[in-house]
Structure formats: C-alpha cells, structure tokens
Amino acid sequence: MNRFYDENARKGPNVLSEEESKHCSLILRHRQGDKIVVLDGQGGIHKSLLTQINKRSCTYEILESNYAKKKDFEVHLVIAPTKNVDRIEWLVEKLEEAGIDKITFIETQNSERRRLRLERLEKKAIGAMKQSGSAFLMEINGLVNFNSILSKIEGGIKLIANVSTSPTHISKYLKPNQNTTILIGPEGDFSPNELKLAKDQGFIPISLGNNTLRTETAGLMACCFIHFINRF
C-alpha cells in the first residue's frame, strides 16, 4: 500500500493535505475504496480506507492503527549547512532514512551558507519517511548561532568533529543507548575559538578517519557510526 503523511491522523479530521491529496489522486491515481497507509510522523502507522477522492482533499477512514516504539535515546546532528543546497537536501533525506532523531543547522565563523529554506527540507524529510516506511519524522531546526546552541545541549555524549588537532576516532567514545550529539563544521572547519568554546561546554574532539570529508559526508558518516553502535 502507498504511504502518505498526515500529522493530524490521530486526532482528525482524516483529510490529507492538498499536496498529499494531489499526489494521491493525480500521480498515483487512487480511487474511492482504495486502501492506503497514513504515517503521522509520531510513531503512528494507520491502515486506512479512502472514502472520498479529489485533487485538493482526499478523506480517509482509519481501519487499524499500530504504534512504533520510540527509542529511549536521541541522536542529534548539529551541522553547518553547505553552500550547495542540493547536498543539504541529500543529507536530510539520508538521515531520515537512517532514523536519526534531530538535525540542527548552525551558523559558524566559516559558514558558507547563512540562509535555509526550512519548508523545503521538511518536505524532503517527509518524502524520505514515506519511502523508507519510518514511523517517525526527524525534527529539523533552522539556522542558529554556534555559540547559542552549545549551552542548550545537556547530558549524554557530546562530540565535535575536528581535523586540526589529531583527535581520537569517534568509535572510542560511542556507547549504545545513550543520547548523542555531534557537531560538524563547514568545509573550513570550526575556528580555534569555536573549538575551545565547545570543549569548555564538555564537547570532546573526535576524528572520523584519515580522509578529509565534505561536510555532508562527515555528517552522514558520523551518524552511521552511531547507527552501527546502536544497531537500530
């Protein structure tokens, strides 16, 4: 069955958004009486029956609901956006598919991009959620200043990727079932002052390997290491 997104599926009314309705009726050519799956992005997987079809608002009746259990820990990627917006969108898609909980974009001294179209990134995440069948929609936070984000992250494993200080590989510090936050800088890396500020807030400098990685590659690789440790 095809998957659709409706954040209000649990509380109703059971009507797909205009965008989802267009996809349902015009692209996939569903008809009244067809069965679909509606994801609410909060763990709900709702097997549903289409009761009315038009290109602006498709209504559905929930036949059966199942609820995925949310992990009892959180993986949070804090990353400077790349100059090329396509790479950011690619990263968001892959992180949603991998089941990462949260991404926050930061503005640093060496940032190459200082504006983001958050709505477009959210659409990319929704598309990846539907494609992958994930029950949870990743939280996406728009650009915040590097200094301001540091004090807001409390507890858990706190890491910062850095290429200039020859730090220890990330694998030494990862532990399963632990809240984990990792900071990834822009192509020019974090400034020495930013690295010091992060360390003062309890962040541990780590390496992702010998090769110099693009920002989006570093973000995905870091999350893959965490993914492997937890095997979720």
Side-chain angles (χ1 to χ4, degrees):
M1 286 183 281
N2 289 313
R3 304 183 185 104
F4 297 89
Y5 171 64
D6 180 12
E7 63 181 342
N8 298 313
R10 296 192 191 195
K11 58 185 179 182
N14 297 328
V15 182
L16 297 177
S17 68
E18 182 174 345
E19 184 172 351
E20 290 287 89
S21 294
K22 286 181 179 179
H23 187 66
C24 179
S25 61
L26 299 180
I27 306 301
L28 297 177
R29 298 187 179 277
H30 274 298
R31 296 291 181 262
Q32 182 177 331
D34 286 353
K35 292 181 180 179
I36 60 172
V37 172
V38 179
L39 306 172
D40 61 27
Q42 303 166 63
I45 305 169
H46 310 282
K47 293 181 181 179
S48 304
L49 179 73
L50 286 167
T51 55
Q52 183 178 346
I53 291 283
N54 67 63
K55 65 181 182 180
R56 293 188 178 275
S57 61
C58 294
T59 61
Y60 62 92
E61 175 188 348
I62 295 176
L63 303 175
E64 178 185 343
S65 294
N66 294 291
Y67 298 94
K69 183 180 179 182
K70 193 172 180 63
K71 305 190 302 290
D72 55 6
F73 63 94
E74 181 179 85
V75 180
H76 184 190
L77 175 66
V78 181
I79 189 168
T82 60
K83 184 177 181 179
N84 187 327
V85 70
D86 291 343
R87 293 178 180 170
I88 304 173
E89 293 175 356
W90 176 86
L91 176 62
V92 166
E93 287 181 340
K94 301 312 167 190
L95 294 179
E96 174 62 39
E97 291 174 22
I100 303 307
D101 303 284
K102 183 191 300 186
I103 182 171
T104 298
F105 292 99
I106 50 171
E107 187 174 359
T108 70
Q109 181 177 317
N110 296 323
S111 285
E112 299 177 290
R113 173 173 287 275
R114 301 183 186 275
R115 286 188 178 183
L116 282 177
R117 293 176 59 189
L118 198 60
E119 181 180 345
R120 181 170 174 81
L121 294 178
E122 290 172 344
K123 287 181 179 179
K124 290 292 182 180
I126 289 171
M129 178 185 68
K130 294 190 295 182
Q131 184 277 327
S132 65
S134 172
F136 296 96
L137 183 63
M138 177 175 61
E139 178 183 335
I140 304 176
N141 298 308
L143 274 172
V144 297
N145 181 269
F146 175 80
N147 294 1
S148 67
I149 192 67
L150 294 179
S151 60
K152 296 178 182 178
I153 299 170
E154 299 179 354
I157 301 169
K158 302 195 295 184
L159 308 172
I160 179 169
N162 181 252
V163 298
S164 62
T165 57
S166 300
T168 305
H169 193 266
I170 184 174
S171 57
K172 177 181 178 181
Y173 299 103
L174 296 178
K175 297 178 182 179
N177 304 317
Q178 296 287 316
N179 289 345
T180 304
T181 302
I182 181 161
L183 307 182
I184 303 290
E187 299 292 345
D189 209 353
F190 293 110
S191 70
N193 183 58
E194 288 169 337
L195 180 59
K196 181 181 183 303
L197 287 172
K199 290 168 69 175
D200 289 344
Q201 290 289 337
F203 282 84
I204 303 169
I206 56 92
S207 167
L208 295 173
N210 295 326
N211 294 348
T212 300
L213 306 176
R214 292 183 182 274
T215 298
E216 73 278 7
T217 308
L220 181 60
M221 183 172 285
C223 290
C224 285
F225 279 120
I226 300 169
H227 192 292
F228 178 76
I229 289 294
N230 288 284
R231 293 176 174 82
F232 63 85

